Amino acid sequence: MISILIPSYNYNTLPLVEELHNQAILENITFEIIVQDDASSLNETTQTNNKINQITHCRFERNETNIGRGQNRNSLVAKAQYSWLIFLDCDTFPQHKNFIRNYIDAIKIENVEAVYGGIIYQKNNPNPSEMLRWVYGKKREEIPLERRLNHPYKHSLMSNFLMKKVIIQKFPFNDKLFQYGYEDVVLIRELQRNAIPIAQIENAAYHLQLEDSVIFLEKTKHSLVNLKMLTDQNVFDDDNSSLLRTYQLISKMGMRNLVAYTFKKTEAFLTKNLLSESPSLVLFLLYKLGYFCQINSR
């Protein structure tokens, strides 16, 4: 009935698998859970994750070489044997004990093909070094159901997503997106273009792992390089992104090089704020815009 697919990289996924397994057993459904590590280094985490293979209907696999975020997910889809797929990031965890039941109920709704359950973050402030990721997640990813219902494509993430296998087989993840950034958005926009509705339900998973702000800022740069590649290849357009719309306006006004130059002069100031205990999302958006102008001016 359901294949639960968890791409991972150097993360202890055993507690998540145990929770999902216990819930699925209680629901008395046919299921499997597949965790696939994308060639992270062999260490104690790998040994812990190997214990997943001792749990019924569950298995842990490790790629010999790193194949990238998009292709790792496509590989999981190819291995799945059931008609419905739940995608969960390895660093998520169900908010409630009826997580699997809620998705089972969603499957029973007529004409449902894809469902997003939502992402939430812990309420307490994290370590100061992780504030940027937490602030961004709370403001940009933890979206209440009523807002998600109004803009289902804008406010969906593949980190907690149910869909029919035939849909993802028809519209797979972009395998050119090797590093972090926009693999979710590209797939969801493809669903939108093809008029595949995304149902929104209250079935949240916690996002647990918070990157150090330095790492998150570097990953943001990787995501903007992905965005440039997607726009250069006409996979993505300015209708899909407020950042792209602003960038296009700046370019039409002949100010792209000026913004890139200004970013170069102010990057240290912006970075200091973003790595602080009180990062500003406004400055984060300016940072992203400036860096995007910079890589498009080379």
Side-chain angles (χ1 to χ4, degrees), residues 6-16 35 37 40 43 45-46 48-49 52 60 89-93 207-210:
I6 307 173
S8 70
Y9 186 85
N10 195 29
Y11 192 84
N12 179 7
T13 319
L14 181 60
L16 172 61
V35 179
D37 179 277
S40 63
N43 51 32
T45 300
T46 312
T48 300
N49 284 333
I52 293 170
F60 171 75
D89 282 358
C90 61
D91 57 355
T92 61
F93 200 86
H207 181 131
L208 298 179
Q209 186 180 37
L210 296 175

Side-chain angles (χ1 to χ4, degrees), residues 40-228:
S40 63
S41 58
L42 293 171
N43 51 32
E44 290 183 5
T45 300
T46 312
Q47 295 176 9
T48 300
N49 284 333
N50 273 320
K51 295 178 182 178
I52 293 170
N53 292 311
Q54 301 172 13
I55 306 173
T56 57
H57 312 298
C58 303
R59 68 183 192 265
F60 171 75
E61 300 184 4
R62 179 180 174 274
N63 299 332
E64 291 300 320
T65 59
N66 188 278
I67 60 177
R69 295 170 66 88
Q71 191 54 41
N72 196 33
R73 286 162 171 77
N74 289 336
S75 175
L76 280 164
V77 171
K79 294 176 180 180
Q81 60 178 315
Y82 299 123
S83 58
W84 283 94
L85 311 179
I86 296 177
F87 289 94
L88 278 170
D89 282 358
C90 61
D91 57 355
T92 61
F93 200 86
Q95 182 185 19
H96 298 300
K97 294 293 184 180
N98 57 352
F99 180 82
I100 295 297
R101 182 186 305 169
N102 288 339
Y103 273 140
I104 293 171
D105 290 342
I107 288 172
K108 297 175 183 177
I109 300 173
E110 187 177 2
N111 298 323
V112 163
E113 296 179 298
V115 184
Y116 177 54
I119 288 292
I120 59 174
Y121 285 74
Q122 301 286 357
K123 293 181 179 180
N124 296 333
N125 287 10
N127 294 329
S129 63
E130 301 169 340
M131 283 298 295
L132 179 60
R133 184 66 184 92
W134 183 77
V135 169
Y136 180 82
K138 293 287 285 185
K139 295 292 185 181
R140 302 293 180 179
E141 296 176 350
E142 187 179 302
I143 308 299
L145 180 60
E146 57 268 23
R147 283 177 58 194
R148 290 195 275 120
L149 288 170
N150 291 330
H151 302 282
Y153 297 104
K154 180 180 179 181
H155 297 309
S156 291
L157 297 169
M158 294 303 298
S159 47
N160 177 20
F161 203 89
L162 167 76
M163 68 191 312
K164 286 184 175 179
K165 184 178 180 181
V166 291
I167 299 296
I168 191 66
Q169 287 175 320
K170 188 174 182 180
F171 307 107
F173 287 93
N174 188 316
D175 58 12
K176 294 183 176 62
L177 298 178
F178 194 84
Q179 294 182 312
Y180 171 88
Y182 287 94
E183 66 273 8
D184 287 31
V185 180
V186 171
L187 176 57
I188 288 167
R189 293 299 179 263
E190 195 66 21
L191 299 182
Q192 184 176 16
R193 289 192 193 100
N194 289 275
I196 297 170
I198 298 176
Q200 299 284 340
I201 65 172
E202 196 70 82
N203 198 32
Y206 284 106
H207 181 131
L208 298 179
Q209 186 180 37
L210 296 175
E211 299 98 341
D212 182 273
S213 296
V214 174
I215 296 174
F216 182 58
L217 207 55
E218 192 62 30
K219 289 175 71 173
T220 297
K221 289 183 176 180
H222 288 313
S223 74
L224 293 171
V225 172
N226 281 352
L227 181 59
K228 182 181 186 304

